[in-house]
Amino acid sequence: MSRDDDASNPIVHESESDSVDSGSSFDSSHEGDSSTSDYDDKQTEETNRKNENRKTAENDSDDGPPGQPKPRAANACSEEKEICCDSNTPDDIVVGSMMFALDCHPTDALITCGDIDGNLKMYKYSTVDNALSYSHKQHKSACRAVSFSLDGKHIWTASKDKSVKYVTTESAETVKKYQNAHDCAIYSMCVINENSLATGDDDGVVKLWDLRSPAHVMECKQPHSSYIADMDIDADQRQLVVASGDGTISAFNVKKRKFILQSENLDADLLSLAFVKNGEKVVCGSGDGSLNIFNKDEWGNISDRFPGHPSSVDCCVPVSDDIICTASMDGSIRAVSILPNRILGVVGNHGDNPIEQMSLSHDRRFLASCGHDLRIRFWNVIDLENLKVNTKRKAKKSSKVTLTNKRQKLKQSFFADLDS
């Protein structure tokens, strides 16, 4: 797709302010008790949303007591190589409620998570003991995204109730709140810098926020027609890249607050993305289990595609410049080498429970993950950087498809029909 001229640029700068509460809206209430049926209804609603968006036919039923991991299913992963990592990790944290987001503190051994009831929870973790620091009710509906500020002193949260909050890390006291940040439920967010945040919603709308402004400073209602599943910012804090359920990614210049380019449709929900290879590549996980690789500044189409996951790649986290960890609907976390493209093995799993989110600890020693088993688990990934990739063994053939190839195939098919 060609770049949009300023006249047709979909960015809209609006003067009207969203409802904002600043400083005085501290909510000190702790999570309240709710009936089992109410909780099950909310859990089912959120799970159905995920499954519908990702076009999956898998059943996400809980066959055991809450908080207990289910036996590992006999799936494609059972025949994969398991990576032997150091077992000296923090114990599992039994949260006891469905989590949709978590993030590790940038400098301390703290981890925060948002749950289905709108609670923000903070834990201290170590290889000796874990402890709950606090649990505060922040949103009326499910808290779908949480992220520490770059200095770790504050936390951004975003919810299905359409609101965005900026709270203190120490006590979860509200510093700023955008009450009606979006017209529909917020799906994802990305911290840009010390003042800025990007959010994406279920309808595919992307917004940029600045703490110094009472309302959003950028809004893009196009080009996406479905939910914004994930977003990431480059090292220069200039280009924001977002992945959508409509099968495309798009890039934005956050300094100029302008839309740059949208990719060709890849015929599968795009669910996760991350910058790799010194920021020169972006890897994007899809609903069909493929990893799609883009060159930075060449967002029109992929440079490579690597199939191999047995189910959707719902999140991915770089653990080094060349290796990422991926999490899938089958409940497994895999270490994957990017260029050369190899699945190195299985780091760990949540049984057959889908994994919602992962985050790397401040010292890059542990990878934390949360799944539908209502637990936060930790995996020692410090040795993954030293894994040797066997370049002599052939990887699965890439299904790299260019726009030219697509057009040639359509043209050949057209003339073949005329000749017959």
Side-chain angles (χ1 to χ4, degrees):
M1 291 188 180
S2 61
R3 294 174 185 267
D4 285 359
D5 296 328
D6 288 344
S8 59
N9 198 303
I11 302 301
V12 178
H13 297 275
E14 297 185 357
S15 58
E16 64 264 26
S17 298
D18 293 320
S19 175
V20 179
D21 295 331
S22 179
S24 61
S25 57
F26 171 46
D27 184 355
S28 60
S29 61
H30 293 260
E31 66 176 297
D33 295 330
S34 59
S35 68
T36 303
S37 60
D38 289 342
Y39 177 81
D40 289 343
D41 288 344
K42 285 187 286 186
Q43 179 170 328
T44 301
E45 180 185 355
E46 285 296 310
T47 300
N48 288 343
R49 173 186 65 84
K50 290 274 186 176
N51 289 342
E52 180 180 358
N53 285 345
R54 293 167 181 173
K55 299 177 182 177
T56 177
E58 294 185 37
N59 248 339
D60 182 32
S61 59
D62 190 359
D63 297 329
Q68 295 298 320
K70 290 187 281 185
R72 181 162 176 173
N75 52 27
C77 187
S78 61
E79 299 178 358
E80 293 181 76
K81 172 186 175 182
E82 292 193 3
I83 298 176
C84 295
C85 298
D86 188 346
S87 60
N88 187 25
T89 62
D91 291 336
D92 293 359
I93 298 175
V94 181
V95 178
S97 57
M98 181 73 75
M99 295 161 285
F100 297 109
L102 86 165
D103 194 30
C104 290
H105 193 277
T107 59
D108 295 320
L110 297 172
I111 188 168
T112 186
C113 64
D115 72 9
I116 193 170
D117 294 317
N119 298 308
L120 179 69
K121 300 184 179 184
M122 179 72 70
Y123 294 90
K124 295 179 181 179
Y125 64 88
S126 72
T127 55
V128 177
D129 193 19
N130 302 319
L132 174 67
S133 297
Y134 59 73
S135 175
H136 282 289
K137 182 79 171 179
Q138 295 291 345
H139 297 280
K140 296 177 182 178
S141 302
C143 183
R144 290 183 175 180
V146 297
S147 185
F148 284 101
S149 61
L150 298 185
D151 60 10
K153 296 179 180 179
H154 296 87
I155 304 172
W156 288 97
T157 68
S159 171
K160 179 186 175 183
D161 66 13
K162 311 174 188 178
S163 67
V164 173
K165 295 183 76 173
Y166 184 69
V167 305
T168 62
T169 297
E170 184 177 0
S171 61
E173 180 179 357
T174 300
V175 177
K176 196 161 192 174
K177 180 179 180 180
Y178 298 94
Q179 181 62 47
N180 295 300
H182 283 254
D183 293 333
C184 68
I186 300 171
Y187 200 107
S188 58
M189 73 179 184
C190 175
V191 174
I192 306 299
N193 53 42
E194 62 275 8
N195 292 312
S196 301
L197 175 82
T199 55
D201 66 26
D202 283 358
D203 288 342
V205 176
V206 175
K207 290 188 178 184
L208 184 64
W209 307 86
D210 192 308
L211 282 172
R212 298 160 293 189
S213 173
H216 60 265
V217 295
M218 184 193 85
E219 179 180 26
C220 183
K221 294 185 176 180
Q222 296 175 357
H224 295 292
S225 59
S226 188
Y227 63 102
I228 304 299
D230 198 10
M231 45 180 61
D232 200 6
I233 188 74
D234 67 359
D236 297 329
Q237 299 178 346
R238 289 183 177 273
Q239 288 198 50
L240 175 74
V241 183
V242 307
S244 174
D246 63 11
T248 68
I249 70 166
S250 60
F252 301 83
N253 186 319
V254 296
K255 298 291 185 181
K256 297 181 179 180
R257 299 173 184 173
K258 288 186 176 181
F259 166 74
I260 299 176
L261 194 68
Q262 182 185 21
S263 73
E264 284 294 309
N265 194 297
L266 299 181
D267 299 323
D269 294 31
L270 301 185
L271 307 174
S272 56
L273 56 79
F275 280 89
V276 293
K277 295 291 183 180
N278 198 31
E280 295 302 314
K281 304 277 186 180
V282 166
V283 59
C284 186
S286 63
D288 62 5
S290 298
L291 292 176
N292 302 282
I293 302 172
F294 292 82
N295 293 327
K296 186 181 179 182
D297 298 323
E298 298 177 9
W299 308 117
N301 208 349
I302 59 175
S303 63
D304 200 5
R305 176 179 288 155
F306 176 42
H309 289 75
S311 58
S312 60
V313 183
D314 296 335
C315 49
C316 57
V317 174
V319 295
S320 73
D321 212 30
D322 305 313
I323 296 175
I324 64 172
C325 281
T326 64
S328 296
M329 285 288 286
D330 66 356
S332 293
I333 299 171
R334 297 171 176 83
V336 182
S337 168
I338 303 298
L339 299 174
N341 299 330
R342 301 286 190 278
I343 294 181
L344 303 177
V346 177
V347 175
N349 68 81
H350 283 253
D352 62 350
N353 297 280
I355 298 170
E356 288 288 341
Q357 190 61 271
M358 299 187 298
S359 181
L360 204 58
S361 65
H362 67 284
D363 55 5
R364 306 185 70 83
R365 181 182 177 188
F366 302 120
L367 180 71
S369 59
C370 64
H372 290 205
D373 55 1
L374 315 185
R375 291 175 174 237
I376 297 175
R377 294 187 169 187
F378 296 88
W379 317 95
N380 196 318
V381 294
I382 193 67
D383 293 329
L384 288 185
E385 294 187 22
N386 301 322
L387 279 181
K388 300 297 182 181
V389 179
N390 183 5
T391 57
K392 294 182 180 180
R393 180 177 61 85
K394 288 187 177 181
K396 291 185 178 181
K397 185 178 180 181
S398 297
S399 52
K400 178 180 176 182
V401 180
T402 63
L403 182 60
T404 304
N405 288 340
K406 285 184 178 179
R407 287 174 176 167
Q408 286 176 345
K409 289 180 179 179
L410 288 173
K411 190 174 182 180
Q412 291 170 357
S413 177
F414 174 76
F415 285 108
D417 289 340
L418 291 180
D419 293 337
S420 60

